[in-house]
Amino acid sequence: MSLLSGALLVLAVSAPQTADDPAAILAERARAVEAQGDALARIWPGYWPPDQAFILYLPGTGAAYGGEAARHGRRFRPGEMEDVRFTFVLDYPDRADNTILLRLDSAEEELSTLFHEQFHDYQSGAFRWLDRGGSGGEFVDVSAIPDLEAFAVAAEQERRLLYAAMGPVTPEERLMLVHRYLAARERRLADLPPPIRNIESHMEWNEGTAEYAALRAMTVMEPGGPSMEDRVRERLARPLLRPGSSYVGDVFRGRAYGTGAAMIVLIEELGAANWRRRIERGEPLVSLLAEAAGERPSLPPEPVDEAVSENIRRQMTLPPGAVAQPVSVADFLSRSPDWLVVRFEGPVRRSRPVGLSFGARGMTPLPGGALALQDVREVLAEFDGARIETRGRPVMIQEPVGPTRVVATTLYIALSEGERERLVSGERVIELENLRLELPPHAVIGDVDGRRTIRVIDAP
């Protein structure tokens, strides 16, 4: 029976109290998070209330309920949660509002994702990024960067300055490292178009703040573990580029987790006034850090570290058999012989947003609000009675760019030879290998511009 049926007949169940029993470990970890509710609430007021509702779910074992979610007659529920397919679910449909669910691979898995993703949920209502021109998405026009290798080397050297600033140095040494970081960053971005600077700042503001909250939460949960500075250093020490991954995804989004978290630690330590609320209002972290650091001395350019340069060059070399990241929508679509196009449309004032969850190793932002997914684990899309689920197939998600009066999300799903003919009107459930379509009666299937297209229109 699915939790979504609302017919929960499982009452409070005590997990067996065996030290190595996953159910007991899970339930105890939920209690430990509850016990730290007051301390977690102080990380960022409003983000994690002391009674924040959450669920820790381990497939094959069951689910431990915590906070407000545990005050509805259950602490631990054995069995499978068939409606949970992804690592986390924001606003899980539980009887407690604002419930976050984390799916674990083991009972002892670290809980940082729980705290990181719940901060994103908080951001959705509390944060307001000021439009600075071209910073609303994640696409970066890398053709505007004359030398991608030199750009990555400079970004990595800046990251190492932040790494050093997080170490055991004197306040004077730390301040000088901050000044060097700010000067080097200004030189790297000085001659580039504003959208590149804006997207970098936006990624830090978005992902860096969530990572800061997650790392702070882990220091609360593990008081005998690594310090906040050491946790940030670990984040900053990860390779800048992963083999065969997206340059944009790694150099801009991936790097922002660590650099953003490090800047907030420094902003906090340097005593910036009202910094949390100013971040919520959309002030870039780098601006707050520069203000907190005070007047900067005149500094020479940072010399290029040849060891860093060689390391970046090695990271940017595609391994044998790897496929280069797509550079445009046309490039990505040319890589499969046929595509199914699924288009969801409806007026914003009336329609619910498209429910979209996905997991993929390769995610490349493309021009025009598109996101190309390669090495896909799973994609799930739901809208107005339609449910699309696919695994293992390349997928592209295209969202409208800029203000719009309609919901207009389009999915491109790669098709194999012969599959197009099986997508016909009148079928409410269509199953292909690793692709399942559940369609409402008003879904329309036809060919548009040579591609089989499904339109689901939530009309006013």
Side-chain angles (χ1 to χ4, degrees), residues 26 29 60 157 168 205 212 216 259 302 371-372 395 407 430 433:
L26 215 59
R29 297 190 78 190
Q157 291 196 197
W205 176 83
Y212 166 86
R216 278 284 182 215
T259 57
E302 296 287 327
L371 182 66
V395 173
V407 175
I430 302 174
E433 184 179 1

Side-chain angles (χ1 to χ4, degrees), residues 235-366:
R235 200 69 174 82
L236 292 168
R238 297 178 187 181
L240 180 64
L241 292 157
R242 296 165 297 167
S245 62
S246 161
Y247 182 95
V248 170
D250 285 352
V251 175
F252 286 84
R253 169 186 260 275
R255 179 169 57 97
Y257 287 72
T259 57
M263 281 194 280
I264 297 177
V265 171
L266 293 166
I267 288 167
E268 185 177 21
E269 182 175 308
L270 292 171
N274 201 26
W275 57 271
R276 289 181 180 86
R277 291 296 169 244
R278 292 175 66 184
I279 290 172
E280 289 185 1
R281 291 197 299 263
E283 292 192 39
L285 305 185
V286 67
S287 299
L288 282 171
L289 181 59
E291 178 186 309
E295 185 176 354
R296 190 186 317 152
S298 178
L299 295 169
E302 296 287 327
V304 175
D305 187 321
E306 292 303 325
V308 171
S309 184
E310 176 57 33
N311 188 40
I312 292 297
R313 189 175 301 115
R314 186 167 54 250
Q315 291 179 31
M316 290 185 67
T317 302
L318 280 176
V323 178
Q325 295 298 311
V327 296
S328 67
V329 168
D331 177 18
F332 184 69
L333 294 180
S334 71
R335 299 184 180 196
S336 289
D338 200 2
W339 293 86
L340 167 64
V341 181
V342 183
R343 184 169 176 82
F344 302 122
E345 298 179 38
V348 167
R349 289 181 178 272
R350 179 181 179 278
S351 304
R352 296 184 62 186
V354 175
L356 193 60
S357 302
F358 58 85
R361 287 193 62 219
M363 295 185 287
T364 305
L366 298 173

